[in-house]
Amino acid sequence: MTSTPIRALALLSLLFPSLLYAAGDMTAQSPVTMTIQLGSKDNQLKFYPSVLRFETGKLYKLVIKNPSQQKHYFTAEAFSRSVFTRKVQIMSKANKTIAEVKGHIHEIEVYPGGTAQWWFVPIKTLQSSRLHCSIKGHTEAGMTGRISIK
Ligand SMILES: [Cu+2]
């Protein structure tokens, strides 16, 4: 007769097969989708939202949109060192993936009207770390935010 823990595990894997799979490969979970906007249609120099919160061990799909008429950066040095990047997808106007970038990502620049998706798993905690746009004058004008990982 099967022991209780083994039966419990078998039952769990039947109910949540992704749980067991994800335990071995954290990038194989279904992602938690979050969206951040760089600037706005009326060219406000802000991030919307300006505060992002993540948790270690979860796969995130951060959709980075630029609805403004100028280029903006998503620059967050400490944050970029605290996540494992699965990929970055570059989206077309019709929201189809037109390129995928693999490897460590330091910062992302999004052109007017463009969208990029950053897929990552936070691997260490971070307390209220700086996010900013590194285009000259934008940080000073208020294009800053905070990112934390718990
Ligand atoms: Cu900017």
Side-chain angles (χ1 to χ4, degrees):
M1 185 170 164
T2 325
S3 75
T4 309
I6 289 173
R7 257 190 300 176
L9 231 144
L11 184 63
L12 258 178
S13 67
L14 277 176
L15 294 174
F16 310 102
S18 63
L19 270 184
L20 287 183
Y21 188 34
D25 181 356
M26 286 192 288
T27 67
Q29 311 169 51
S30 20
V32 176
T33 301
M34 290 174 72
T35 301
I36 186 165
Q37 212 175 283
L38 313 187
S40 64
K41 280 205 167 81
D42 59 348
N43 277 312
Q44 294 287 312
L45 293 176
K46 286 184 180 150
F47 290 101
Y48 302 91
S50 62
V51 175
L52 296 172
R53 293 188 183 88
F54 302 102
E55 286 176 39
T56 55
K58 287 187 178 174
L59 175 67
Y60 289 93
K61 176 174 90 178
L62 180 62
V63 181
I64 306 172
K65 287 178 178 287
N66 181 353
S68 78
Q69 284 87 56
Q70 54 185 319
K71 298 188 269 186
H72 292 296
Y73 274 81
F74 181 100
T75 305
E77 291 93 352
F79 169 76
S80 75
R81 289 192 302 270
S82 301
V83 304
F84 173 81
T85 296
R86 174 172 153 189
K87 61 183 173 182
V88 171
Q89 290 187 330
I90 315 303
M91 313 307 289
S92 70
K93 291 259 187 263
N95 208 36
K96 292 251 185 297
T97 306
I98 51 174
E100 244 180 45
V101 181
K102 308 274 170 65
H104 183 72
I105 301 299
H106 181 64
E107 60 183 358
I108 296 179
E109 181 180 15
V110 184
Y111 281 49
T115 302
Q117 297 179 353
W118 190 354
W119 294 59
F120 59 84
V121 178
I123 53 172
K124 60 181 181 182
T125 58
L126 193 64
Q127 274 187 1
S128 190
S129 181
R130 190 167 87 128
L131 162 70
H132 67 111
C133 173
S134 54
I135 288 179
K136 201 172 190 301
H138 287 197
T139 300
E140 295 74 8
M143 204 160 178
T144 61
R146 310 301 301 180
I147 303 182
S148 63
I149 300 169
K150 67 168 187 174

